[in-house]
Amino acid sequence: MKRNDFFGIKSLVGLALRRDRLKLPLWLVGISLMILSIVHAYAEFSAQEMKDMIIMAAANPGMRLFVAPISMGVIGDIGTFFLFRMSFIIAIMVGIMSIQIVVRHTRHNEETGCAELLSSTVLGRYASLTAALIVAICANIILSFMMAFAMIAGGLPAGGSFVAGFSFGAFGIIFAGIAAICVQLSENSRGSSGLASMALAFVFLINAVGNILGKVNAGGLGYESAWPVWLSPLGWVQQMHAYDENNWWILILFVVLLVPLVYSAFILVNRRDIGRGILAAKPGPGDAPKSLLSPLGLAWRLQRGALLGWMIPIALFALIFGGASQDFGETIEGVEMFEQVLAAAAENFGFMMISVMSVIISIYTMQSLLRKRTEEDGGPLEAVLATPVKRSTWMASHIICSVVGTLILLVIFALGLAVASEATSSQTIAYIKMALYQGSGIIALAGCIIAVYGLLPRISRTLSWVVVMFAMLAGPFFGALLDLPEGLQEISPFSHVGLVPADITASGIIILIIVGVLLGAIGMVSFNRRNLSL
Amino acid sequence: MNVVDVKNLTKYYGKFRALNEVNLKIKQGEVLGFLGPNGAGKTTTIRILLGLLRSSEGQAKLFGKDAWEDAVEIHRQLAYVPGDVHLWPNLTGGEVIDLFCKLRGGLDDIRREKLIKRFDLDPTKKCKTYSKGNRQKVALIAAFASDVDLFILDEPTSGLDPLMSAVFQDCVSKAKEDGKTVLMSSHILADVEKLCDRISIIRKGEIAETGTLSELRHMTQMSIEVETGKAIVGLEQIKGIDNLSVEGLKARFEINSDKIDEVMRHLANFNIRFLTSTPPTLEELFMRHYGDDLVDLNQASERSVS
Ligand SMILES: Nc1ncnc2c1ncn2[C@@H]1O[C@H](COP(=O)(O)OP(=O)(O)O)[C@@H](O)[C@H]1O
Ligand SMILES: [Mg+2]
């Protein structure tokens, strides 16, 4: 690395700040205001209410995915209760912000031709990446202070607020580092964001495993995490136990991880050409296999890569959670008040995991359905629809692949869970049934996404994300955590499936499927009648 | 019968009128050049013909069928090469060619191999590694390897080098010999004049002129620059010379191509040392023949420079 490899950083940082003069403040202020309003809302809870919620979460593996560990000495304290419920949502938002900043000022710059033009003249090789990292790191440091002030303004103690603020900021900085690597590995900015988001999901799930395996305190009040949380930066955030133990020293772990992340990103910069990923394209067959030569064959070929990319982590987590299910019973053993729920909790563990995972799999469904938009918007769809392929045939082919892919993922998860938990064959079948039932919620959501694509193609990407995020947040796992009004929670299809077999009704499932099919039909008809939006 | 029959076609994008009462006819076996500067509305017209966009008013028929309602049936008989060829990054060129031929009905292996060789394409490469010109080749090979009656080509030569342009011209000639109909758009006059039976000129969404090349002779004016051994005299007496300027041994002027022979004979008397002839750009032609706002525009930009 020579000094002039970094030449031009100043002007690039300036460019980035100018491009983001609206976006960045919106993120910072938005997150801070959200924190302030939630802390305010939590001040209303009585100690008994908090206690009940903590007990409920401790005994419920599905809930434990989304809440932080909490120790029993601090029951009734608003600060710890706030982090208990919100820490992972805040961490994920900060992570997404970091990913966006880094991708936008590296790959996205390259794709719009901006970076290429600049790097041939005055920019050093590492300038673009360094500038993006500087902007991301500074944004996270400023955000740390703003979050801390928001918590203090909400009436929480200053010391704990700074620990909490900086734990989230440090988490964001780690994800700037991870995104810096992802942008080198991927072929375009959408691929880079996807890869980095996957890393975010991974970090979340690893931490969740540790929390699920955590041992419940005597009396059922809170629980302590098991060792896997130390494998995840989200675990580090939660183990800082702000407002309680205030473990400042854990910040060192973030620094220790950041150095190799950034270092590898810089090494990878050297290995790739501007505008290309590091993984070089290999030549392929000169003729097409028969299986490709139809609209359905084509759609399958275009979608199978992403499906495979999802299958592997889904199978992996099925095995991990399946293994955990055998131990979950132990985590609440000996807690007197759980004696009677113990058996039920252990039995329902698998079903609960399937419900939770189906919410995550709906992200795959959305991405897969949005593939149609990629084909249309500056893609090859124009040429395909100039052949004798009907619009509805083309669309149906893609939708079939999306739905089948979704069902495959659900079944894989159920099977993995069954295998790893050494389930009996009747229980395995029950798991698979449960997974397919959960598919009905996803089908309703998919119908909505298809309708959006047919009616409003230009904003369909953003709108689909909004729809899915809403369905998740208003759904059974977050809706209760966020204290959303019942009416809002009712809109999410996931609120209607049922979390355990006892809650599932045939009419519920059928209605969800009918809603999905109707919405999908609306999308299909509008697509048939509209201009291509090229 | 007219293979393509467009009557009073109008298209609005929101409030912006991209096409205004466009009329277009192509007879069976004819090659029509669809000529117009960037943004004139060529691509819009073609996309309506293909049923990808809906017209706002007017009608577009191909093979006597409605372009929107009967799109699928019409597409059995045509091959389309978009102006901006987008392909699937992870499929190889060969796979894409096979796919499009199959979707259009059938694949002629021998013709496919021949075309791949002539266009000098490596069909085993992934599409993401192709340049714009190579992507265009893939689309052209897929089109000419298909057994169809009508070819619709949107600015087909814009990414090809001169050698490949020649191969492309061969392909169009061959298609014409076989009695196929061709619609090709371009913003460069020289591209279409070699191949086309008739030319339609579109500008700002309106058809400015339609005719055979000889009917549009006035469009084919050449700019000539010449340097001679002796001082040039008498050029001003030749009919059809425009914008003449003579400076000592150098002269510059514009001339209709049917007068070139006469001018050359005259110039030969002055011991020619150096001569270039360039076809005018479309913009220059429009300035000359339709004058008005383009001239205003140029003057405005000149004023702002000075
Ligand atoms: N989707 C669209 N929305 C709005 N305006 C458009 C759209 N597509 C094309 N236009 C406008 O319509 C006009 C004609 O465009 P086009 O048909 O692409 O021209 P050409 O192919 O002759 O270069 C241009 O002024 C262009 O800006
Ligand atoms: Mg065009």
Side-chain angles (χ1 to χ4, degrees):
Chain A
M1 287 187 198
K2 291 189 298 275
R3 234 193 106 180
N4 59 6
D5 282 345
F6 292 93
F7 194 82
I9 287 179
K10 231 170 150 184
S11 52
L12 277 176
V13 170
L15 176 72
L17 292 180
R18 208 164 48 245
R19 277 182 77 194
D20 279 356
R21 62 184 179 276
L22 213 66
K23 231 178 176 173
L24 210 47
L26 267 177
W27 269 110
L28 300 184
V29 173
I31 293 178
S32 308
L33 282 183
M34 182 190 90
I35 288 177
L36 182 61
S37 70
I38 290 177
V39 173
H40 249 294
Y42 282 6
E44 315 264 303
F45 283 114
S46 71
Q48 186 57 44
E49 277 175 307
M50 291 190 213
K51 206 169 147 184
D52 290 345
M53 271 181 233
I54 291 170
I55 290 173
M56 182 177 85
N60 181 332
M63 286 288 190
R64 277 209 211 169
L65 271 174
F66 304 111
V67 297
I70 188 166
S71 50
M72 71 180 283
V74 290
I75 303 297
D77 174 66
I78 296 172
T80 47
F81 183 71
F82 164 69
L83 292 179
F84 161 74
R85 293 182 114 197
M86 297 305 296
S87 74
F88 100 92
I89 294 185
I90 296 172
I92 289 208
M93 288 179 77
V94 175
I96 291 176
M97 178 189 83
S98 291
I99 293 172
Q100 282 211 346
I101 293 176
V102 171
V103 171
R104 196 164 141 80
H105 298 304
T106 52
R107 288 318 283 265
H108 194 258
N109 259 353
E110 280 175 23
E111 278 165 19
T112 47
C114 194
E116 204 166 341
L117 195 71
L118 291 172
S119 77
S120 61
T121 52
V122 291
L123 293 185
R125 237 178 322 177
Y126 303 118
S128 156
L129 183 61
T130 317
L133 282 172
I134 289 176
V135 173
I137 290 174
C138 290
N140 275 298
I141 292 176
I142 296 172
L143 181 61
S144 302
F145 280 104
M146 290 175 66
M147 288 188 287
F149 289 135
M151 293 174 220
I152 295 169
L156 298 178
S161 298
F162 276 104
V163 175
F166 274 89
S167 69
F168 295 128
F171 183 80
I173 291 173
I174 288 295
F175 267 86
I178 289 176
I181 292 179
C182 293
V183 293
Q184 315 303 329
L185 294 179
S186 219
E187 262 150 27
N188 52 36
S189 62
R190 217 175 293 151
S192 316
S193 307
L195 207 58
S197 309
M198 230 165 199
L200 193 58
F202 223 78
V203 160
F204 162 70
L205 286 171
I206 295 271
N207 178 56
V209 173
N211 282 346
I212 287 173
L213 293 180
K215 186 95 179 121
V216 174
N217 301 325
L221 284 171
Y223 64 96
E224 262 159 41
S225 307
W227 61 269
V229 296
W230 292 102
L231 302 177
S232 160
L234 181 59
W236 305 346
V237 169
Q238 298 182 345
Q239 297 310 312
M240 282 175 81
H241 284 294
Y243 302 111
D244 183 9
E245 297 167 15
N246 285 337
N247 296 323
W248 275 104
W249 63 268
I250 291 180
L251 284 179
I252 298 169
L253 287 182
F254 290 99
V255 179
V256 168
L257 177 60
L258 184 66
V259 173
L261 284 178
V262 172
Y263 186 73
S264 346
F266 277 99
I267 295 213
L268 290 174
V269 169
N270 268 337
R271 303 262 180 90
R272 73 177 186 97
D273 305 329
I274 282 193
R276 292 259 164 83
I278 193 160
L279 312 164
K282 282 195 253 41
D287 313 274
K290 264 223 157 64
S291 59
L292 174 67
L293 299 177
S294 69
L296 188 60
L298 175 64
W300 175 247
R301 171 75 180 270
L302 296 175
Q303 299 221 14
R304 70 179 184 194
L307 181 60
L308 214 67
W310 272 77
M311 267 177 179
I312 296 162
I314 290 285
L316 188 67
F317 279 103
L319 296 178
I320 295 175
F321 285 127
S325 79
Q326 296 199 304
D327 302 330
F328 180 74
E330 285 169 26
T331 72
I332 52 178
E333 220 162 48
V335 181
E336 213 170 295
M337 63 187 306
F338 286 166
E339 290 283 275
Q340 66 280 45
V341 292
L342 184 71
E347 198 184 302
N348 284 335
F349 179 92
F351 298 120
M352 209 65 130
M353 284 299 129
I354 292 172
S355 312
V356 171
M357 199 46 94
S358 76
V359 176
I360 293 176
I361 287 175
S362 73
I363 296 181
Y364 165 79
T365 315
M366 175 195 64
Q367 287 179 340
S368 161
L369 288 168
L370 284 176
R371 174 74 210 210
K372 295 197 293 297
R373 182 64 191 144
T374 312
E375 293 288 288
E376 179 180 15
D377 176 19
L381 178 61
E382 173 180 17
V384 171
L385 289 187
T387 69
V389 171
K390 276 190 205 150
R391 285 186 182 210
S392 43
T393 309
W394 172 79
M395 198 161 170
S397 306
H398 270 275
I399 294 174
I400 288 172
C401 289
S402 305
V403 172
V404 170
T406 302
L407 295 179
I408 289 177
L409 289 180
L410 286 167
V411 170
I412 284 182
F413 186 76
L415 276 177
L417 208 60
V419 168
S421 63
E422 296 167 15
T424 60
S425 59
S426 69
Q427 196 165 20
T428 306
I429 290 171
Y431 280 165
I432 292 175
K433 267 192 187 159
M434 181 67 182
L436 293 176
Y437 290 148
Q438 296 298 329
S440 64
I442 302 185
I443 284 175
L445 197 60
C448 188
I449 294 167
I450 296 167
V452 164
Y453 171 71
L455 292 165
L456 300 163
R458 274 180 205 284
I459 52 169
S460 59
R461 277 204 190 95
T462 318
L463 218 53
S464 301
W465 269 105
V466 170
V467 166
V468 170
M469 284 299 138
F470 174 80
M472 279 185 159
L473 293 178
F477 296 104
F478 299 80
L481 284 179
L482 294 169
D483 282 319
L484 294 179
E486 289 264 318
L488 221 51
Q489 294 189 33
E490 289 288 304
I491 302 177
S492 168
F494 297 120
S495 305
H496 299 276
V497 187
L499 300 180
V500 290
D503 299 344
I504 288 178
T505 59
S507 61
I509 302 289
I510 291 170
I511 289 174
L512 283 171
I513 292 178
I514 290 177
V515 167
V517 170
L518 279 181
L519 285 171
I522 291 175
M524 203 116 148
V525 170
S526 351
F527 177 70
N528 276 339
R529 300 168 56 86
R530 72 166 161 84
N531 289 322
L532 284 201
S533 169
L534 300 157
Chain B
M1 190 186 73
N2 288 321
V3 172
V4 176
D5 195 347
V6 173
K7 277 197 198 117
N8 299 330
L9 193 66
T10 300
K11 172 73 185 174
Y12 287 90
Y13 287 116
K15 287 211 165 116
F16 174 70
R17 189 170 61 196
L19 296 180
N20 184 22
E21 310 245 313
V22 166
N23 289 293
L24 207 61
K25 281 192 174 63
I26 312 179
K27 286 202 275 291
Q28 167 92 51
E30 200 174 38
V31 179
L32 181 94
F34 193 33
L35 201 59
N38 291 321
K42 305 181 291 294
T43 302
T44 304
T45 309
I46 288 175
R47 284 178 176 161
I48 293 175
L49 285 178
L50 292 167
L52 301 172
L53 300 179
R54 257 177 198 273
S55 61
S56 306
E57 284 155 42
Q59 67 167 11
K61 289 198 163 177
L62 288 86
F63 305 104
K65 295 172 191 142
D66 185 83
W68 178 268
E69 298 294 336
D70 308 318
V72 173
E73 267 161 71
I74 292 170
H75 294 168
R76 282 185 219 289
Q77 304 179 63
L78 66 79
Y80 167 52
V81 176
D84 245 331
V85 180
H86 296 284
L87 304 173
W88 299 278
N90 287 323
L91 266 59
T92 64
E95 286 177 322
V96 171
I97 293 170
D98 287 353
L99 176 65
F100 276 115
C101 289
K102 183 74 204 306
L103 292 180
R104 284 191 197 114
L107 183 62
D108 181 338
D109 277 325
I110 300 165
R111 198 149 45 162
R112 174 188 185 273
E113 292 315 313
K114 237 190 196 153
L115 283 164
I116 287 180
K117 205 173 267 169
R118 292 200 63 196
F119 274 104
D120 193 24
L121 180 86
D122 180 352
T124 63
K125 280 199 172 153
K126 295 271 167 71
C127 291
K128 66 183 155 205
T129 65
Y130 286 139
S131 63
K132 177 177 194 306
N134 276 333
R135 289 199 303 270
Q136 210 150 21
K137 283 187 205 170
V138 171
L140 286 168
I141 292 169
F144 287 120
S146 304
D147 185 22
V148 292
D149 302 322
L150 169 65
F151 294 92
I152 297 184
L153 315 171
D154 194 0
E155 310 219 7
T157 53
S158 60
L160 299 182
D161 59 37
L163 205 64
M164 289 305 135
S165 284
V167 176
F168 165 75
Q169 283 169 14
D170 274 358
C171 289
V172 175
S173 309
K174 171 82 173 27
K176 195 173 154 185
E177 274 170 33
D178 296 346
K180 318 277 184 178
T181 311
V182 180
L183 165 63
M184 59 179 280
S185 80
S186 177
H187 64 274
I188 302 161
L189 179 64
D191 275 355
V192 293
E193 82 186 332
K194 288 187 212 106
L195 294 168
C196 298
D197 303 316
R198 280 193 314 132
I199 295 176
S200 264
I201 297 174
I202 186 170
R203 139 167 215 270
K204 291 184 175 170
E206 299 189 25
I207 297 288
E209 260 180 86
T210 301
T212 62
L213 203 56
S214 55
E215 281 165 350
L216 299 178
R217 261 307 162 210
H218 62 283
M219 301 298 294
T220 60
Q221 209 158 20
M222 306 292 277
S223 293
I224 302 229
E225 249 186 280
V226 59
E227 216 179 307
T228 51
K230 291 189 272 179
I232 304 171
V233 290
L235 270 180
E236 60 280 355
Q237 270 140 43
I238 299 174
K239 262 199 191 147
I241 282 196
D242 279 331
N243 295 340
L244 175 66
S245 76
V246 185
E247 280 171 40
L249 300 177
K250 287 184 194 166
R252 263 207 277 182
F253 55 87
E254 278 147 21
I255 178 84
N256 274 345
S257 42
D258 56 347
K259 285 284 189 342
I260 285 188
D261 187 55
E262 192 182 342
V263 172
M264 288 304 130
R265 279 169 207 279
H266 183 81
L267 286 176
N269 297 327
F270 303 99
N271 186 10
I272 301 174
R273 291 210 174 129
F274 173 83
L275 185 139
T276 60
S277 72
T278 35
T281 66
L282 208 54
E283 278 76 6
E284 282 171 333
L285 278 176
F286 282 138
M287 211 157 75
R288 233 173 274 149
H289 293 280
Y290 309 102
D292 61 13
D293 34 17
L294 265 171
V295 179
D296 294 344
L297 201 74
N298 275 15
Q299 281 170 349
S301 63
E302 272 163 30
R303 264 200 305 277
S304 64
V305 167
S306 59

